[in-house]
């Protein structure tokens, strides 16, 4: 298959060893326990689920071990101190952690004062419990994301793999796939259009 | 503020979500997100995919002493406090935090061309392109230009129009090499934009090209 040869060292999804399955509802319950009563046992559960996943990603990217450990430490301490700002109807715990980890790494790379990161700015607002209606919206969004993933064409899946697993820039992807930058950008737009469409339905 | 009509390009939003945008472009994108609930929602959905692709499948054991170190840290960690209401600022938070300035009047504007003032802002060392603010007098026009790479222009005050339509406060023009345009500030007030690009602007007119080394955009 063409896709697999161009992916090089990436293995297709099915051939990868499965990590332990994620139950986001369990993660959310632990987040609530940490937020409301500083529950250390719940926090340890979060650590045991999240830290090994961060470690695997940082190893894959070739981040040096001591730097990787510092990043994991920063991210996990952030999870503790910001647990009360997590709002379940805005997204999964893992996506929230993904954004925290990205921001920690941007700030560490700069070694200057932290930037203000705002795409999850609603997390900075006081929590409000889900109304039944919001819960329905949230559940249907999660279902739509699953559909988007399942129906993603190979060419677009490859783009997401290169962006999020290998963390390549547009220009680096163009070099790797031997494609013009414009073609890479249009594949990115097609992939995002696919996501939008799945969310609209 | 009204809901923006002009948004981030999906390719830019994806690079933003992945954290691979150069810092000066990232600040402009973040500033648009402050004004745009629609792009924030899309950024969150993209983060779901980011988490799925980068964190869902693989695990690698961490050393027990790393966990012990984290548990010791959280014992003494101060909890994140909910932010108080921010003082009124002309600038987006993402930019104000970066440059430590809240108001347009605190900036050192200098003349760049007839009807146009400019403030250059610091970029990462070695990053190509331009990062800065432009203040265009009511009715004045920017020279007809194209783009070497990606250019993000966020309207902070006033409005302008060009071949693509009218751009008002909160709107972002996310343009690449294919676009040539001729923006004119609307007549009611000066138009202030935050601009970042990753390659030099290409001016069409000979006079503007002669000016370019002095303008520095």
């Amino acid at each position: 298959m063409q896709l697999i040869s161009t992916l090089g060292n990436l293995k297709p999804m099915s051939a990868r060893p499965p990590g332990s399955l994620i139950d986001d509802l369990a993660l959310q319950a632990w987040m609530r326990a940490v937020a409301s009563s500083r529950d250390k046992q719940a926090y340890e559960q979060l650590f045991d689920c999240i830290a090994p996943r961060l470690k695997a990603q940082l190893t894959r990217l070739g981040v040096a071990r001591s730097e990787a450990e510092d990043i994991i430490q920063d991210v996990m301490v952030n999870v503790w101190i910001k647990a009360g700002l997590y709002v379940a109807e805005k997204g999964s715990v893992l996506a929230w952690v993904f954004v925290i980890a990205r921001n920690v790494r941007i700030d560490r790379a700069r070694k200057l004062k932290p930037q203000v990161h705002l795409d999850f700015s609603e997390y900075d607002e006081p929590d409000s419990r889900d109304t039944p209606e919001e819960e329905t919206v949230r559940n249907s969004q999660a279902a739509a994301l699953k559909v988007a993933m399942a129906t993603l064409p190979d060419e677009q899946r490859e783009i997401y793999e290169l962006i999020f697993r290998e963390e390549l820039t547009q220009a680096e992807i163009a070099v790797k796939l031997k494609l013009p930058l414009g073609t890479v950008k249009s594949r990115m737009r097609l992939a995002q259009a696919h996501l939008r469409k799945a969310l609209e339905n | 503020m009204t809901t923006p009509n002009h948004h981030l390009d999906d390719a830019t939003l994806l690079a933003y979500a992945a954290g691979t945008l150069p810092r000066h472009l990232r600040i402009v994108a973040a500033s648009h997100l402050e004004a745009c609930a629609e792009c924030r929602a899309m950024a969150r959905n993209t983060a779901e995919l980011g988490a799925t692709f980068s964190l869902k499948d693989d695990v690698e054991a961490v050393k027990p002493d790393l966990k012990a170190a984290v548990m010791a840290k959280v014992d003494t960690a101060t909890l994140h406090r909910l932010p108080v209401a921010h003082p009124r600022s002309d600038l987006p938070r993402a930019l104000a935090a970066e440059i430590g300035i809240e108001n347009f009047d605190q900036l050192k504007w200098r003349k760049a061309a007839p009807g146009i003032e400019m403030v250059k802002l610091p970029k990462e060392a070695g990053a190509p392109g331009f990062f800065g603010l432009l203040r265009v007098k009511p009715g004045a026009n920017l020279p007809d230009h194209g783009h070497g790479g990606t250019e993000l222009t966020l309207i902070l005050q006033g409005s302008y129009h060009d071949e693509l339509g009218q751009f008002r406060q909160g709107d972002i023009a996310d343009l690449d090499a294919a676009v040539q345009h001729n923006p004119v500030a609307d007549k009611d007030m000066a138009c202030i934009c935050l601009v970042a690009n990753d390659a030099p602007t290409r001016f069409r007119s000979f006079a503007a090209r002669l000016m370019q080394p002095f303008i520095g955009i």
Side-chain angles (χ1 to χ4, degrees):
Chain A
M1 203 168 119
Q2 174 71 31
L3 174 70
I4 296 185
S5 64
T6 53
L7 281 174
N9 59 348
L10 281 181
K11 284 175 280 180
M13 291 292 232
S14 53
R16 255 183 242 135
S20 50
L21 282 178
I22 294 231
D23 173 1
D24 211 70
L25 287 179
L27 291 182
Q28 287 173 26
W30 292 328
M31 289 289 287
R32 277 197 300 275
V34 171
S36 61
S37 54
R38 302 283 111 194
D39 182 331
K40 285 235 170 109
Q41 278 176 347
Y43 180 73
E44 286 197 45
Q45 301 278 358
L46 286 169
F47 185 98
D48 292 342
C49 174
I50 295 165
R53 293 171 190 282
L54 292 170
K55 184 83 196 300
Q57 171 69 359
L58 294 166
T59 302
R60 178 166 45 236
L61 293 168
V63 175
R65 206 178 67 184
S66 66
E67 172 69 5
E69 289 184 353
D70 285 353
I71 290 168
I72 293 169
Q73 204 169 99
D74 273 12
V75 174
M76 290 313 303
V77 171
N78 264 294
V79 167
W80 173 264
I81 62 184
K82 292 182 178 167
L85 305 181
Y86 170 72
V87 181
E89 64 263 34
K90 300 290 184 189
S92 69
V93 174
L94 210 60
W96 185 72
V97 169
F98 168 82
V99 168
I100 287 179
R102 180 198 71 199
N103 294 349
V104 159
R105 289 173 58 202
I106 289 172
D107 289 340
R108 287 181 66 85
R110 296 188 61 205
K111 295 192 177 72
L112 288 170
K113 59 183 173 186
Q115 272 181 254
V116 176
H117 304 279
L118 286 132
D119 49 339
F120 270 59
S121 62
E122 290 95 332
Y123 283 125
D124 291 339
E125 292 168 5
D127 194 359
S128 57
R129 287 275 77 83
D130 281 16
T131 64
E133 193 189 359
E134 282 165 341
E135 203 173 323
T136 312
V137 169
R138 170 77 203 119
N139 289 341
S140 66
Q141 276 219 327
L145 281 163
K146 259 188 200 154
V147 171
M149 281 292 290
T151 56
L152 198 60
D154 284 352
E155 222 171 58
Q156 294 163 24
R157 178 180 302 276
E158 180 184 40
I159 289 284
Y160 281 125
E161 296 259 2
L162 294 170
I163 290 172
F164 289 119
R165 280 175 73 83
E166 296 201 12
E167 300 189 3
L168 300 183
T169 63
Q170 296 169 1
E172 288 164 345
I173 293 172
V175 171
K176 177 151 190 156
L177 299 183
K178 300 190 178 71
L179 290 171
L181 187 60
T183 308
V184 171
K185 279 195 185 182
S186 35
R187 280 194 194 169
M188 290 169 98
R189 290 179 190 127
L190 282 174
Q192 290 291 90
H194 177 87
L195 175 61
R196 278 177 198 280
K197 204 171 164 204
L199 288 164
E200 272 165 24
N201 287 344
Chain B
M1 192 189 292
T2 50
T3 313
N5 288 319
H6 298 277
H7 301 280
L8 284 167
D9 183 288
D10 270 335
T12 311
L13 192 72
L14 195 43
Y16 176 87
T20 55
L21 275 186
R23 182 164 62 90
H24 59 299
L25 292 170
R26 171 168 203 85
I27 291 166
V28 184
S31 299
H32 172 70
L33 289 172
E34 282 179 45
C36 185
E38 199 177 317
C39 286
R40 278 204 302 278
M42 194 58 188
R44 284 198 301 272
N45 288 320
T46 307
E48 296 284 348
L49 286 195
T52 301
F53 277 95
S54 67
L55 299 178
K56 219 156 212 167
D57 289 326
D58 303 333
V59 294
E60 183 184 329
V62 298
K63 288 189 299 181
D65 48 337
L66 178 62
K67 186 172 174 181
V70 169
M71 295 310 291
K73 266 203 167 171
V74 300
D75 259 339
T76 56
T78 327
L79 297 190
H80 190 86
R81 276 191 220 135
L82 291 173
V84 287
H86 286 267
R88 234 195 87 58
S89 163
D90 293 334
L91 301 179
R93 275 160 64 198
L95 179 63
E98 180 73 15
I99 61 177
I101 284 178
E102 301 276 339
N103 300 308
F104 295 134
D105 293 342
Q106 296 170 275
L107 293 158
K108 287 194 175 129
W109 295 97
R110 65 172 187 82
K111 280 217 157 62
I116 303 171
E117 292 167 296
M118 181 169 82
V119 179
K120 275 198 195 182
L121 298 171
K123 286 190 314 251
E124 270 169 315
F130 172 81
F131 183 35
L133 291 150
L134 295 179
R135 182 159 67 184
V136 186
K137 273 196 180 153
N141 64 312
L142 284 162
D144 189 1
H145 68 278
H147 308 283
T150 293
E151 181 172 277
L152 302 180
T153 304
L154 177 74
I155 312 303
L156 301 181
Q157 178 196 292
S159 59
Y160 76 72
H161 57 271
D162 66 5
E163 293 83 342
L164 301 170
Q166 194 192 30
F167 288 76
R168 288 178 291 188
Q169 195 179 341
D171 281 336
I172 193 162
D174 183 348
L175 306 177
D176 67 14
V179 180
Q180 180 89 21
H181 68 147
N182 182 20
V184 181
D186 290 328
K187 292 205 166 72
D188 46 341
M189 69 194 297
C191 177
I192 299 181
C193 330
L194 176 64
V195 182
N197 61 36
D198 58 7
T201 306
R202 291 194 302 244
F203 292 108
R204 191 139 75 179
S205 91
F206 181 61
R209 284 206 302 276
L210 284 180
M211 291 281 292
Q212 192 164 20
F214 306 103
I215 305 174
I217 191 168

